[in-house]
Structures are given as C-alpha cells and as structure tokens.
Amino acid sequence: MRKRWIAIILACAAAAPTAFAAQAGVVAAGPDQLAFSKQNMDTSVSPSTDFYRYAAGSWLKRVKRPEQHPGYGFFEIVLDQVQQQMNVLLAKAAADAPNASSGTPAQQVGTLYNAYMNTAARNAAGIKPIQPFLEKGDAIKDLDGLAAYLAQNEIDGGPGIFLQISPGQDFNNNTVTSLFVQGGTLGLPEAFEDVFEEPAGGPRITAYRNYLIESLKIAGFNAAKATSMADASIAIDRALHAAKLPPVEANDPSKINNARTLAQLQTELPNLNLRKILGGLRFEEPDHLILMEPRYLPTLSKVLAERPIQDIRDYVKLRVILAYSPYLSSDFDKPLIGLNEGLVGVSVLPSQEERALDIIKGRFGQPVSRLYSDSFFPPETRRQAAEMVGLIKEAFQVRMPNRKWLSDATRSAATDKLNALSFWIGYPDEWVDYSSVEITPDLVSSLVSIARFDYERMRQKLGKPWVTEHFNNSHTLPIVVNAAYDPQINGFEVPVAIIQAPMFDAQSDPAVNFCRMGAVLGHEMTHGFDWTGKQFDKTGNMKNWWTPKDSAAFDALAGLLITQANEYEFLPGSRTATGAQQVGENMADLGGITLAHAALRKYLALHPEKDVVIDGQTQDQRCFLAWAQFWAWQGKDEALRSQVARDAHPPNAYRATAPLRHLDAFYKAFGIRPGDPMWLAPEKRVEAW
C-alpha cells in the first residue's frame, strides 16, 4: 500500500558517471548538466532584481529542452544520466541472461529487459497476454462477482479498481501492521486527476477521451462500443474523483487516519461485500481497519448502485487494458502520444530503452537497483554522504536551543525528536530476496509472478510486528533520483542515484557540496518538523507533543510561507494560490538551505584554508548561487499548470529564490537592500527551524 503523504518527495537529484560508465560513452556532468558554473550565470542581471536570472539566466538561454521532456531541469538531466548508465548494465544483463544462474538479479533483469525489447513478439501477441483478465471481467455477473474479482486483481498486481485493501504500518502504534482501505486509482495518474474536474469539451478531458476510444479500438472493440465505454468510464471517474480528498487534506495524516470496524465500513458501502474481498485476499477480519478516504465509500456505493452491471464490467475491462497496454503491442503508442500532447504538450515518447527501464524499475525495483548500486556507488561515497548528514544534523542541534518561539516543554520534545532522527544512505543493508520468482520471456506473466510474490510477502506481515524494508518504496529505490523522509520511522532515505556529482562531488569546494547535497539532507530533516512531521513523536507514532500556544505559533510561521507562495506568479497573470498545498515542501526548502549554510560556516571556521574566493565569488555567494542554479528549469506551460494543480512541490523557479529571501546572510552576500525586488520585509521572514 502506498501511503501518499509518507514519502515526501524532493524532486531533485544529480548523477555523474563513474569511470565504468564514462568508458561506455556517458556524458560527464558539466555546466549544461547544471554542474555549478559561472558560465550558467547572467551577470547582466542584478542579483537584487532577479536572483534566479542572475544565477542561471545563461543556462536558461543556452540549453534547449529535449523534445521528449515536458519540463527540463536538474531532475530530468540526472534521470537521463542514470538512463545512460543503466543502458550499459541492461545491455550486459540482456546478453548474459540466457546463461546466467536462474534467480540472480542479472538473469531476472536481463530476461525482463529482453522480453520488453522484443517488440516483434509483443506485436504478434496483440491483446492475448491479458485475455484471461478480460474474460474474468466479462464473467462478473453481480456485485458479489465484482468483490471476488477485485480481490484476485489485487493479488495479481492489476490496476487499483474501485477499492484497495492492503497491509501497512499503523499510525498510532508503528510496531503494528494494520489493514488500510484506500479509494481506487482512476484512469489517469494521480498527478493528472484534476483533468476530471474539467468540463466536457475541455482540451485535456477531450484528449483523454480520444485516448480511451483509440486504445479500446486497438483492443478489438468497435467504434460505437469504444465510445460508450469511454464515456461511462469518464463519468465513473468524475464521480469517484469528486469524493477523494483534495491534495491539502490528502497530505494531512490526521485526515487519513480513520480507524473503522469492518461493520462500520460495510454500513458506508452496503452493496459491496467487504468480507468477501477480505476472504479472497486471505486476510483475517481485524479488529479495525484504517480508512484513508473518509468521504469515498458512500460515493462508490452510489456509483455501484446506479450503474448497470454492464458498465461495471466495461469499466473493469477498460482499466485492465490501460494498465497493461505498456507491456503489449506497440500499436498502443499512437493514442498515448496524443494523450501526452493533450496533457503536457509533448508528442514524443521516451525511447524504448527508457520505457523498459521504467517498467523494470516500477515492477522489479530492488533487483535492478542492486545492479545499479553495485556498479555506481563506491563505499567511500557512502561514507562521505553519511559524514555530511552528521554535519547538517549537528547544525540543526546547535540551532534548536535558540528556537525561542517554542516553550521549554515543546522545544525539549523537538530536541528529543531531532536526536532520535535516523537515516539510511544509498542502498539497503539487506536486499529483498526475489530469487524464487520465475522470470520468463513472457513479459505479462513474469510481471504477474512478481506481483503475486510481493503480495504474499505483504500478506505474511499481518499479525506480526511491522518491519520497515528500507529502499523498497517506489520513491526511494536506490535507482530513483530522490530522497524522502518517513514520519513513521522518524528517518529518511537517500538513494544511490542522488549522491553523485554534480549534486555531491568530492572535488567541489565546500559551498557547492554543502548547499546542494547538504541542503537536500537538511530538507529531509526539516520534514520531521513541518506541518506533517510535527504530528508524529520521536518514535514515529501519531501524537500531539505541542502545547496549544506553540502550535498556534507554528501555524503563524507556516502562514507566512503560505502567503508568500500564494502571491507567486508561476505564469504571467497566474498565481499559484496553492501555498497550503505546498507549505511542507517550502518549509523543508527553507530549513534545508538554512541548515546547509549554518553547517558550511562552521566547517569553514574549522578549515579557514578552504574559505576562499573562487571566480570572484565568496563561499557565501557560491552557496546561494549553487542552490539557485540547482533549481533552473524550463518547460511547457501545460506541464507547469499540472504541477501547480496537484503537486506538493512548488515550481522550480520559486524554489530557487523563495527560501533564500528569509536568510539574512543572503542579503548580506549580495548587497540586497530595502526597495530591491528581491527584498522581503523582515516581518515577513520565517526562521522556524
């Protein structure tokens, strides 16, 4: 089960080739790849007028967005670099797979890769690989039949239709494994669910409707049937989307931690037999379940009551076709191109190699991450990263006693939580053993085998103490360019893919490393004390450890960040108005760069020989410039609008400068004064952590 709010993503990263990758033709990270460089600056712009353009204006003018990317910045650059690194490994695994020992990561990953890359075989098979799932959908005669189908679909790793029930870590007692009830996924990814709020005839909902119709026609339905199925599906998804929590509430743990008995849930959803679903999943009836969507079940009940069973069957089949279409015939590429163009303005699909890696990463993440970690992450880098975590945490610990806006009791609890904060670097000390999973040239059956194996592992957790599997979340696989804090363990994970130059480079001066990698680490630490993290104690259990007065003081500080974000124009004439949605990330950005700069100053005090001017820039100046260049981004307006609508992360251009405007050292470094456009009045500045 994916708990949306737990993995609080920092959508940033970097990667640089090792000697092994460089020999394979991987381009080294330079100024075009946002390695920190004076070459990326536009010094014709005053830093007091537009610091973003001053820091990265030359890069914005010089570097062209690759056609396949709706947006292009540090994150996409590093993903491309990781892809180049993995192309080498995947090609080798593919060549070695026929003779490799069965059950090894190389054999399994290589076989999966070969199965996807064999386009001729996939095209010849057409829709046949998923025909059994479609036939089971056709066999649904009533809602009891639907309940049985949903249980088996969950086991097989199919799309999250209507309702999902799965084990997870309990909110109030994180040593316990509980069952969670989530609303179903919809036909579009969560990031684009606002499309279902668009009126009929709108450009994005029209593009989605056309995509459904064309995909169904490829699957063998005539035009009239495809059209009626598409329209019914959109109507169902509109209704279900309206019952889901909006992003601000969905990212608030207090809104999704709703303990219910099975009888209580059944009262809200009387026409779908939940005991039958639990039985099909082979779950014992628990004393309580956690309902994550408190308004969803009555709406689902209404949809199931009002829609004829044929619509339900058609919806199930359509969702199956959409979910498995990436693994089937390349004929499905054409409607996907049209959908991409409608949603984000890009009409070019990723290469076949990129899509192969995405599929393997999404379904078989740890084995492919193991290949990556073994090849691209020397132990010394892990040690250096851990050392930097210690320096940033120490800077936080030094600051904590000076948080005068907190009472002694709350500050003491915050200090205890900070001291207890844990972290994991690079990759797990113990990998999940997938050796028993049979991977064959049949792509769909292999993916189903993986799903069934994963399901059974999770099922076995019920009735036992919860054990966290590090680096086994889709957000923090070692191959994922990201970092994430989990409030339920009061700790964060930093995957391999992010701990590379130009994010972190032993050859860089301190300012660049501290204010890039160090700021990322500080960002994750601050998440333990943001609007979400503050609801959990030092052991990772949901508990209010704040006095009412301190909580009100926190809300006032967060309110300043919300106001600042709401006033930002992400496009001319368009303000974000999503400050509350993004306040956690904005507070973490502010905490990250604040802690990074504080740690840098202490480091330079201990190593004065490194406090040097480079290219005419002091270490303070290079710190803030390195941060701002890190967030340089260019892209399609459609992509930016989609991000603002749903994402907890603000636009890159905002992140480049918004947190800096709260630091006195930033103003001093660049001589910014009252009246300058970059000036933020002292009473509007936030110094929470």
Side-chain angles (χ1 to χ4, degrees), residues 396-513:
F396 205 164
Q397 289 168 323
V398 168
R399 290 176 62 83
M400 190 64 81
N402 299 321
R403 303 304 91 200
K404 300 304 183 185
W405 59 278
L406 293 174
S407 67
D408 290 344
T410 303
R411 187 166 57 248
S412 176
T415 300
D416 289 344
K417 182 172 185 180
L418 175 60
N419 292 340
L421 182 141
S422 54
F423 63 91
W424 294 266
I425 300 293
Y427 53 84
D429 293 325
E430 183 176 346
W431 298 88
V432 176
D433 182 4
Y434 281 92
S435 61
S436 63
V437 180
E438 184 178 5
I439 306 297
T440 73
D442 186 330
L443 180 60
V444 170
S445 68
S446 294
L447 295 176
V448 171
S449 294
I450 294 168
R452 289 174 178 170
F453 174 83
D454 281 334
Y455 170 80
E456 185 58 25
R457 282 198 320 108
M458 291 303 295
R459 191 185 73 82
Q460 294 291 342
K461 292 178 180 289
L462 281 175
K464 299 176 183 177
W466 178 263
V467 176
T468 299
E469 294 177 352
H470 294 293
F471 298 100
N472 198 27
N473 181 294
S474 62
H475 301 315
T476 57
L477 289 167
I479 197 173
V480 171
V481 183
N482 191 36
Y485 172 83
D486 182 345
Q488 287 191 276
I489 61 174
N490 187 26
F492 61 92
E493 296 172 350
V494 186
V496 169
I498 200 172
I499 314 171
Q500 304 183 51
M503 165 70 81
F504 178 77
D505 185 349
Q507 305 306 313
S508 292
D509 56 296
V512 175
N513 278 334

Side-chain angles (χ1 to χ4, degrees), residues 12 17 161 165 227 270 302 326 342 385 454 518 553 582 584 609:
C12 63
I161 302 171
I165 303 176
T227 300
K302 187 172 185 289
D454 281 334
Q582 299 162 349
E609 75 282 1

Side-chain angles (χ1 to χ4, degrees), residues 171-173 253-255 257 535-537 540-544:
F171 290 108
N172 299 321
N173 182 355
S254 69
K255 297 291 193 296
N257 181 23
Q535 299 185 49
F536 292 79
D537 66 13
N541 287 312
M542 251 187 109
K543 181 181 178 182
N544 183 10

Side-chain angles (χ1 to χ4, degrees), residues 114-126 129 327-330 441-442:
N114 285 334
Y116 179 80
M117 296 298 287
N118 191 348
T119 307
R122 288 193 289 115
N123 289 346
Y327 322 134
L328 303 175
S329 165
S330 59
D442 186 330

Side-chain angles (χ1 to χ4, degrees), residues 115-368:
Y116 179 80
M117 296 298 287
N118 191 348
T119 307
R122 288 193 289 115
N123 289 346
I127 204 75
K128 289 180 183 177
I130 63 168
Q131 200 63 47
F133 302 132
L134 298 177
E135 291 172 357
K136 289 177 182 177
D138 266 328
I140 297 172
K141 303 301 182 187
D142 51 29
L143 295 186
D144 273 356
L146 175 64
Y149 183 93
L150 294 181
Q152 188 60 49
N153 177 67
E154 182 80 20
I155 293 170
D156 292 340
I161 302 171
F162 291 135
L163 192 70
Q164 300 173 92
I165 303 176
S166 52
Q169 190 176 13
D170 193 88
F171 290 108
N172 299 321
N173 182 355
N174 61 13
T175 66
V176 171
T177 304
S178 293
L179 279 180
F180 285 73
V181 180
Q182 285 182 282
T185 60
L186 306 181
L188 282 169
E190 186 178 323
F192 295 101
E193 279 193 21
D194 65 300
V195 170
F196 295 115
E197 300 167 16
E198 194 172 89
R204 295 188 301 162
I205 197 69
T206 298
Y208 179 60
R209 181 175 182 268
N210 292 338
Y211 164 71
L212 296 183
I213 293 170
E214 294 306 312
S215 295
L216 287 166
K217 287 162 67 175
I218 292 169
F221 296 91
N222 64 43
K225 180 63 175 177
T227 300
S228 67
M229 288 175 69
D231 289 339
S233 172
I234 289 172
I236 290 171
D237 277 350
R238 281 189 188 277
L240 296 179
H241 168 72
K244 289 189 170 189
L245 295 176
V248 172
E249 293 183 70
N251 289 314
D252 182 347
S254 69
K255 297 291 193 296
I256 62 176
N257 181 23
N258 305 288
R260 300 283 191 274
T261 65
L262 186 63
Q264 288 172 325
L265 293 176
Q266 195 68 79
T267 299
E268 296 185 42
L269 184 62
N271 46 352
L272 188 63
N273 192 327
L274 295 177
R275 281 189 174 84
K276 191 174 187 67
I277 295 177
L278 286 179
L281 292 169
R282 290 175 288 134
F283 293 152
E284 297 290 332
E285 182 176 332
D287 59 357
H288 76 279
L289 303 91
I290 308 299
L291 177 64
M292 300 184 71
E293 292 280 0
R295 300 190 289 269
Y296 181 83
L297 295 186
T299 297
L300 174 59
S301 181
K302 187 172 185 289
V303 167
L304 295 178
E306 294 179 351
R307 285 281 167 180
I309 196 65
Q310 184 59 52
D311 281 0
I312 302 302
R313 282 195 292 262
D314 287 346
Y315 182 81
V316 166
K317 290 186 292 183
L318 171 56
R319 291 294 307 281
V320 167
I321 291 167
L322 296 187
Y324 287 95
S325 61
Y327 322 134
L328 303 175
S329 165
S330 59
D331 291 342
F332 285 101
D333 287 356
K334 186 174 180 180
L336 183 59
I337 290 172
L339 177 63
N340 282 358
E341 189 167 18
L343 296 183
V344 294
V346 171
S347 58
V348 176
L349 294 180
S351 68
Q352 192 172 1
E353 290 81 4
E354 289 175 274
R355 286 183 279 170
L357 178 57
D358 281 345
I359 288 169
I360 298 171
K361 184 166 58 178
R363 291 286 193 145
F364 211 43
Q366 277 225 347
V368 72

